[in-house]
Amino acid sequence: MNEIKTEHIIPPSDTIRLFTFLKESDSIFQPKLSERVNIKQYSEKLAERAELFYVLDGGKDIANCAVYMNRDDICFISSFAVAQNMQRNGIGTRLMRAVISEGIKRNKSSIELDVYACNQAGIRFYLSQGFQKKAEKEKWLRMSLDLK
């Protein structure tokens, strides 16, 4: 690993940058992102409305989180991914800590996300970050982290 850096970008942001990362990370998502959304349209929506957090290694994007912070009290993570070759190196924790820190700074009460119920590695990661299981709807599990 080279120089690791974290960036926080307020919308609007660079759609092409986000699209490129999400397209390269498609197979990391469970189920694949391309099986659920049109990645180009999704990137445009997130770049316009969500705050983006990136972790870079030597200037290359290796992790990304898109989070909506436009509600009064809740942050909602729409996507979270760490490049396959960078997983299990603390990058996901670094990324999540940046999101949590921003939520606390803005006096939000919680961070929520939906994770595919069969994504055991993702669920374990979120639990390790302090998230709790809240509800299950169809094949998705809602998880929440209390910030207060």
Side-chain angles (χ1 to χ4, degrees), residues 121-133:
I123 293 168
R124 278 193 305 275
F125 170 75
Y126 296 126
L127 289 171
S128 77
Q129 300 301 305
F131 283 77
Q132 296 180 351
K133 298 175 183 178

Side-chain angles (χ1 to χ4, degrees), residues 53-119:
F53 292 80
Y54 287 96
V55 177
L56 298 88
D57 182 11
K60 178 174 174 30
D61 295 330
I62 59 169
N64 169 266
C65 178
V67 58
Y68 291 100
M69 292 196 178
N70 50 1
R71 289 176 57 189
D72 288 340
D73 59 341
I74 297 171
C75 304
F76 187 83
I77 293 177
S78 185
S79 69
F80 190 98
V82 176
Q84 192 81 42
N85 64 330
M86 299 305 289
Q87 293 179 3
R88 303 200 191 317
N89 286 314
I91 302 300
T93 296
R94 180 185 183 122
L95 181 60
M96 186 61 77
R97 292 290 160 224
V99 173
I100 292 168
S101 177
E102 187 64 24
I104 290 170
K105 188 166 92 175
R106 298 221 198 145
N107 204 30
K108 302 293 186 180
S109 63
S110 66
I111 299 175
E112 295 184 354
L113 59 85
D114 291 332
V115 60
Y116 193 55
C118 293
N119 182 352

Side-chain angles (χ1 to χ4, degrees), residues 22-78:
L22 293 177
K23 188 81 170 156
E24 290 173 356
S25 304
D26 185 31
S27 63
I28 294 170
F29 290 92
Q30 289 186 28
K32 288 171 99 175
L33 191 58
S34 61
E35 293 173 1
R36 297 182 278 138
V37 298
N38 175 304
I39 297 176
K40 184 176 185 305
Q41 291 172 349
Y42 184 61
S43 299
E44 290 168 355
K45 177 184 170 188
L46 291 176
E48 182 65 31
R49 300 179 186 163
E51 298 193 22
L52 302 180
F53 292 80
Y54 287 96
V55 177
L56 298 88
D57 182 11
K60 178 174 174 30
D61 295 330
I62 59 169
N64 169 266
C65 178
V67 58
Y68 291 100
M69 292 196 178
N70 50 1
R71 289 176 57 189
D72 288 340
D73 59 341
I74 297 171
C75 304
F76 187 83
I77 293 177
S78 185

